[in-house]
Amino acid sequence: MRCLRVVVLLFMLWLPVTAFAQGAGIEAITIQSAGQGETWSVSLQILAVMTALTLLPAALLMMTAFTRIIVVLAILRQAIGTTNTPSNQILIGLALFLTVYVMSPVLTRINQVALQPYLDEQVGAVQALRAAAAPLRAFMLAQTREKDIGLFLNIADAPPVERPQDVPFSVLVPAFMTSELETAFQIGFIVFLPFLIIDLVVASTLMSMGMLMLSPMLISLPFKIMLFVLVDGWALIMGTLAGSFYPG
């Protein structure tokens, strides 16, 4: 068995050497740009795809509606008092699906102006990326406050811009993230207030009855859950979050 493992290992090491000796990688895709062709080998394609996949979580957090939604849902869970219910997986799943619904006009526009022309070989990769950035930029600008853009322009020591479309992505992305966090905490404050009032009423009642050893959270939790169910809280929260985004 040990000899077999050694043979397999040597065979796996021999394959790349043989490929290199025969003259480099396998040609798979040729990109035509301005009358000139560029051929990408399979290894370069795999490297590009893996790099893009590693950047997808950062893009999801920094350039979509996901951050605002997940922060509000986390504050809601904290306000109700159920520390692990719903679980993190459920909250992330809800946030992902609601993000898809909110971003669907943007994704549809990107598909129309960038992805389909690129697949039909009407535009090159660079032109497709620029076309895809325009709808995403419009969505982010619609949610971003001017003061946040000015803040990051000052931090980057960049000159003032005449139009919102001239804001560079290196400034727009952190400004959008800051605005999203501020908006999420504003919504979370409004969501937190009714449950805070229930906690205060229950705590005052227990103190007036002399029941100081009984935890107010234990008594207020059923009332908060009942209130949330009676007002159809999940539908109210989802509708409010979806309606809090301005169209790009």
Side-chain angles (χ1 to χ4, degrees), residues 71-91:
V71 169
V72 172
L73 292 179
I75 293 176
L76 171 65
R77 183 176 64 179
Q78 185 71 24
I80 296 176
T82 54
T83 55
N84 295 318
T85 305
S87 63
N88 292 332
Q89 292 84 352
I90 295 176
L91 291 185

Side-chain angles (χ1 to χ4, degrees), residues 64-125:
T64 66
F66 180 82
T67 298
R68 182 189 303 187
I69 296 170
I70 193 63
V71 169
V72 172
L73 292 179
I75 293 176
L76 171 65
R77 183 176 64 179
Q78 185 71 24
I80 296 176
T82 54
T83 55
N84 295 318
T85 305
S87 63
N88 292 332
Q89 292 84 352
I90 295 176
L91 291 185
I92 292 174
L94 287 173
L96 284 174
F97 276 99
L98 192 57
T99 300
V100 171
Y101 292 140
V102 171
M103 300 294 296
S104 58
V106 180
L107 298 177
T108 301
R109 183 65 179 165
I110 291 175
N111 180 61
Q112 293 174 351
V113 302
L115 181 59
Q116 290 303 321
Y118 176 72
L119 295 178
D120 295 338
E121 299 182 355
Q122 298 176 1
V123 296

Side-chain angles (χ1 to χ4, degrees), residues 129-192:
L129 286 176
R130 291 176 179 173
L136 190 59
R137 175 188 290 272
F139 172 80
M140 295 169 65
L141 283 172
Q143 324 305 324
T144 307
R145 296 172 174 83
E146 292 184 4
K147 65 180 183 64
D148 294 325
I149 294 178
L151 170 65
F152 284 96
L153 283 174
N154 292 331
I155 293 176
D157 198 16
V161 294
E162 297 181 358
R163 302 179 304 165
Q165 291 76 12
D166 297 333
V167 178
F169 252 95
S170 59
V171 172
L172 179 58
V173 171
F176 169 76
M177 191 69 173
T178 304
S179 296
E180 286 294 282
L181 289 174
E182 184 174 348
T183 304
F185 275 89
Q186 290 175 353
I187 299 174
F189 172 76
I190 298 174
V191 170
F192 210 107

